[in-house]
Amino acid sequence: MMWLKDSSIGRKFVMSITGLFLVLFLLFHGSMNLCLVIDDIFGTHAYNWICAMLGANWYAIIGTLVLALGVVVHFCYAIYLTIQNRAARGKDRYAIEARQEGVDWESKNMLVLGIIVIGFLCLHLYNFWYKMQWAELTGIHTSMFDPQDGSAIVKGLFTDGWCGIIYCLLYMVWLVALWFHLNHGIWSALQTMGWSNLIWLKRIKVIGTIFATIAAGLFMVVTLYFLGVNIGMMLG
């Protein structure tokens, strides 16, 4: 198992596995968040039902710990690979980067995009996970809303006047960075796993774009919806 740490291919393989695992989580989490819009339009309670099912239960706690470990491993390996690549290029790295005309912009800025994504992920965890699941586990409530009423917590943040507008805009920046990061990361992960021939390379790039658009788009729909609701409340 040492090759996972000591070899470049091994480290990229770990990056690929942890990255794809997180993509699946984003697709689920984004679909779950879409229930917020459905609930607000039709008066249903699907989001809170899912939150209750995934609340302070043993399987939800284990899932949270596994995801946290995946994020940490993915981020640490990304930094390590970047440092190694820069060290290998040495003084010529600027000349090499200048000659990479056919390389995608997101490919050359994956670490920066990743840092933006991680930064906003921390903000997201504070705004929601800390005030919901963590509050249920510890009994420490830091929100004016019931921690079991996740729908009210989300709406309260995104529809809080100018503060809500700022949060919506910040989340849009995060989602754009997330899209660029996923757009390159997904097809790069699939390529690392062996889908790298000329026939499949173009296909997995399309697959990466589709999945990145769906994952980021699900969150964007919710953000834009509550931005519209907030502006409507302020004007009305």
Side-chain angles (χ1 to χ4, degrees):
M1 297 296 290
M2 293 298 293
W3 69 276
L4 292 176
K5 179 176 71 71
D6 296 334
S7 72
S8 176
I9 295 297
R11 289 188 291 271
K12 288 181 179 179
F13 182 77
V14 172
M15 285 282 292
S16 301
I17 293 296
T18 54
L20 290 178
F21 189 71
L22 293 172
V23 169
L24 293 177
F25 170 74
L26 286 171
L27 290 173
F28 167 77
H29 193 44
S31 300
M32 172 183 169
N33 285 353
L34 195 61
C35 291
L36 284 164
V37 176
I38 297 173
D39 289 345
D40 198 61
I41 294 174
F42 297 103
T44 53
H45 303 282
Y47 183 80
N48 278 351
W49 179 82
I50 297 173
C51 287
M53 183 178 65
L54 298 175
N57 301 304
W58 65 268
Y59 48 83
I61 296 171
I62 292 175
T64 300
L65 293 175
V66 171
L67 284 169
L69 178 62
V71 171
V72 171
V73 171
H74 189 79
F75 188 62
C76 289
Y77 267 62
I79 293 176
Y80 186 52
L81 283 172
T82 301
I83 293 174
Q84 273 205 327
N85 290 339
R86 286 177 177 267
R89 292 173 184 173
K91 296 180 179 179
D92 296 329
R93 67 177 181 267
Y94 299 108
I96 293 172
E97 290 174 358
R99 293 197 298 267
Q100 292 178 323
E101 297 180 357
V103 178
D104 295 335
W105 176 84
E106 56 263 41
S107 175
K108 294 187 291 185
N109 294 278
M110 284 295 281
L111 182 62
V112 175
L113 291 170
I115 291 173
I116 295 173
V117 170
I118 290 292
F120 276 94
L121 177 61
C122 292
L123 178 65
H124 186 72
L125 289 173
Y126 170 74
N127 283 330
F128 302 118
W129 177 81
Y130 177 68
K131 297 177 182 179
M132 294 164 67
Q133 189 179 59
W134 178 256
E136 285 189 61
L137 288 171
T138 62
I140 301 173
H141 297 178
T142 59
S143 171
M144 60 181 291
F145 301 102
D146 185 341
Q148 295 183 337
D149 191 358
S151 179
I153 293 175
V154 177
K155 292 178 185 177
L157 179 72
F158 286 135
T159 60
D160 186 20
W162 285 106
C163 184
I165 290 177
I166 292 172
Y167 263 113
C168 285
L169 295 176
L170 287 174
Y171 267 82
M172 288 179 192
V173 172
W174 172 53
L175 293 172
V176 170
L178 178 65
W179 184 89
F180 278 111
H181 192 77
L182 293 178
N183 187 49
H184 174 77
I186 293 173
W187 77 259
S188 180
L190 295 174
Q191 184 184 41
T192 298
M193 293 179 180
W195 292 3
S196 57
N197 58 62
L198 293 177
I199 295 176
W200 274 101
L201 185 57
K202 292 182 179 180
R203 294 176 182 178
I204 62 175
K205 283 190 175 184
V206 173
I207 292 172
T209 300
I210 291 173
F211 273 87
T213 302
I214 293 174
L218 289 169
F219 288 92
M220 186 67 79
V221 167
V222 177
T223 306
L224 289 173
Y225 174 79
F226 283 113
L227 176 63
V229 170
N230 190 17
I231 292 175
M233 291 170 58
M234 293 175 67
L235 294 177

